[in-house]
Amino acid sequence: MKAAIFRGIGKPLTIEDIDIAQPEAHEVLIKVAASGLCHSELHVFDGSLPMPSPGVFGHEAAGIVEAVGSQVKDFAPGDHVISCLSMYCGHCKECLTGHMSICLNLNKLLRDPTLPPVLSKNGEPLHQGWGLAGFAEKMLVHEHGIVKIDKDIPLDLAALLGCGVTTGLGAVLNAAKVPVGSTVAVIGCGGVGINCIQGARLAGATRIIAIDRVPSKLASALKFGATDVIDASKENCVEKVMELTNGGVDYSFEVIGKKESSEQCFNMLAPGGTATLVGVIPVGTTIELMGISFLFERKIQGTMLGGNRFPIDLPNYLKLYKMGQLNLDDLVTEHIRLEDINEGYEKMKTGEGMRRIIIFD
């Protein structure tokens, strides 16, 4: 099968023919239909999020089940599924208390090392990025890494829920638990930030302030539910938020993963407010906050993939899509081929557009 191979920091991905194993006990073999380009991979490719190479990455994918292992009971060939980073063991304290996205027992889901590797080329193992490897024509994943969906959902749109949509909505609805009537600010209006905005709208926030440096993203933010926009390239976003809200927002979200914007996210809070850091901050980066600010019961927290419980959340989000309450169609900027993946990531670096989706034959 064809796959996009990561062969080292700063190197372009190469399209190569590789081998994939057959499913063992709890594994599911999936023919990939669509796979989204997410910013998280850029952190891998530029070295700010260290990962092994050579390997296959890609985690925002949807497809059709081709074969299942002997112990798989909930999936069958022909099922439509979405993959998700939030694999879970189902037995640890985190899983049993509803915090599946921070399961610490993922080693229990790994293939037995005495078995053939999941991915290989000429007999040499390839790293299976995120335990998924969606930048390939097929994926072989543990059954706790996918969820079954209705067959009437377009698979290119379904793929979006594997990361971007679920992280953005979950940050608001699961992690921050934004109540009706709140004021919200979102720093970064890309594929995840836009879904924070959608989440705030679904939660009943009465003021949703979108902050970005790209005019087209601010225009999109208004379409997805923002009530106000701030061009951070022209205005001090903290001062502007304070002005618009007469003292700060109840909830703020940083969806870029940078030191400066993370600090701004906290500093634009009203007393009693909560800042949620959604973006992946590079390893080794620290953020600095004034200690006196905490005296007024301001809080800051992180979230892993929006604190999702993906077997429950993803089907519910798709119900909202069918009801016309969740906009997925306008998230897709462009459909591309696997061979266009490097060009797609170069376009992502410009900041234009939401999501580019690889479509497989």
Side-chain angles (χ1 to χ4, degrees), residues 130-185:
W130 319 111
L132 297 171
F135 291 155
E137 293 177 320
K138 294 183 182 182
M139 292 191 300
L140 181 62
V141 303
H142 192 281
E143 61 180 325
H144 284 184
I146 56 174
V147 60
K148 183 162 55 177
I149 62 171
D150 293 341
K151 293 183 179 180
D152 59 346
I153 300 292
L155 288 170
D156 62 329
L157 300 183
L160 297 168
L161 275 77
C163 180
V165 173
T166 298
T167 299
L169 295 181
V172 175
L173 302 175
N174 295 335
K177 295 181 172 62
V178 172
V180 172
S182 301
T183 54
V184 171

Side-chain angles (χ1 to χ4, degrees), residues 134-328:
F135 291 155
E137 293 177 320
K138 294 183 182 182
M139 292 191 300
L140 181 62
V141 303
H142 192 281
E143 61 180 325
H144 284 184
I146 56 174
V147 60
K148 183 162 55 177
I149 62 171
D150 293 341
K151 293 183 179 180
D152 59 346
I153 300 292
L155 288 170
D156 62 329
L157 300 183
L160 297 168
L161 275 77
C163 180
V165 173
T166 298
T167 299
L169 295 181
V172 175
L173 302 175
N174 295 335
K177 295 181 172 62
V178 172
V180 172
S182 301
T183 54
V184 171
V186 178
I187 305 177
C189 300
V192 177
I194 281 292
N195 286 293
C196 287
I197 290 169
Q198 290 210 84
R201 173 178 54 78
L202 289 168
T206 52
R207 192 157 207 174
I208 305 170
I209 304 169
I211 303 166
D212 207 291
R213 293 176 174 270
V214 181
S216 63
K217 288 188 175 181
L218 294 174
S220 293
L222 292 169
K223 179 189 298 185
F224 282 87
T227 58
D228 304 86
V229 297
I230 298 173
D231 186 338
S233 69
K234 298 178 179 178
E235 298 183 274
N236 182 305
C237 63
V238 174
E239 293 179 357
K240 188 64 177 179
V241 166
M242 291 296 178
E243 176 189 326
L244 288 172
T245 58
N246 194 30
V249 291
D250 302 315
Y251 296 88
S252 59
F253 300 86
E254 197 276 356
V255 201
I256 303 172
K258 292 186 176 180
K259 171 182 171 63
E260 179 185 9
S261 49
S262 296
E263 294 166 355
Q264 291 169 337
C265 183
F266 179 79
N267 291 331
M268 63 180 57
L269 290 174
T274 299
T276 301
L277 304 185
V278 187
V280 179
I281 299 174
V283 174
T285 300
T286 60
I287 61 174
E288 300 173 85
L289 304 171
M290 293 292 291
I292 192 68
S293 298
F294 291 93
L295 181 65
F296 296 95
E297 299 189 7
R298 296 181 177 91
K299 298 171 283 292
I300 188 166
Q301 64 177 1
T303 180
M304 173 69 81
L305 293 162
N308 73 77
R309 307 148 303 165
F310 81 86
I312 298 170
D313 291 345
L314 270 62
N316 284 338
Y317 295 157
L318 287 173
K319 289 176 185 176
L320 292 174
Y321 169 69
K322 287 185 176 183
M323 294 169 63
Q325 296 184 30
L326 181 64
N327 184 351
L328 298 179

